[in-house]
Amino acid sequence: MPNSIVFNKIFPYILVVTFFFSCASSGFGPQGFIYEEQRISLMETGIPATKEGIACARSYLGLLAIGDASIGESRNQGRIKEITAIELESFGFFGVFAKLCVVTKGN
């Protein structure tokens, strides 16, 4: 009987508190709680690029974050030897899901 009380009465409150206080966020640039989608330039040399690489990290409910959003990984994905531009792309939806990607451009 005590186990069912814990599960039926306390567990729903734990889920609600976790949902409202653990929100996913890209953590960079302007934050939008309901919706966020942006691209921010960090560096550009002005040299035209022929290749592009993208590396992303994702967050779910602010409880789980996975991925490699490093410049090195992005450079490897695009097989870039000389970086000419670096940008950040972020996407977030209602604190449930967030994604931050590093975009490298170069030759």
Side-chain angles (χ1 to χ4, degrees), residues 17-52:
V17 168
T18 300
F19 179 76
F20 283 110
F21 293 106
S22 297
C23 295
S25 168
S26 66
F28 193 85
Q31 302 296 304
F33 180 71
I34 295 173
Y35 181 79
E36 165 191 343
E37 184 175 11
Q38 56 194 336
R39 186 174 250 201
I40 300 170
S41 179
L42 296 180
M43 184 275 289
E44 190 168 335
T45 64
I47 299 169
T50 58
K51 297 178 182 177
E52 181 176 283

Side-chain angles (χ1 to χ4, degrees), residues 9-83:
K9 302 259 182 182
I10 298 173
F11 188 69
Y13 291 112
I14 292 171
L15 285 178
V16 168
V17 168
T18 300
F19 179 76
F20 283 110
F21 293 106
S22 297
C23 295
S25 168
S26 66
F28 193 85
Q31 302 296 304
F33 180 71
I34 295 173
Y35 181 79
E36 165 191 343
E37 184 175 11
Q38 56 194 336
R39 186 174 250 201
I40 300 170
S41 179
L42 296 180
M43 184 275 289
E44 190 168 335
T45 64
I47 299 169
T50 58
K51 297 178 182 177
E52 181 176 283
I54 299 175
C56 299
R58 293 163 183 81
S59 175
Y60 303 93
L61 291 175
L63 299 173
L64 177 66
I66 55 173
D68 181 356
S70 67
I71 293 171
E73 179 63 19
S74 178
R75 182 180 180 182
N76 290 340
Q77 291 293 326
R79 299 177 189 199
I80 298 169
K81 294 183 181 177
E82 178 187 7
I83 296 175

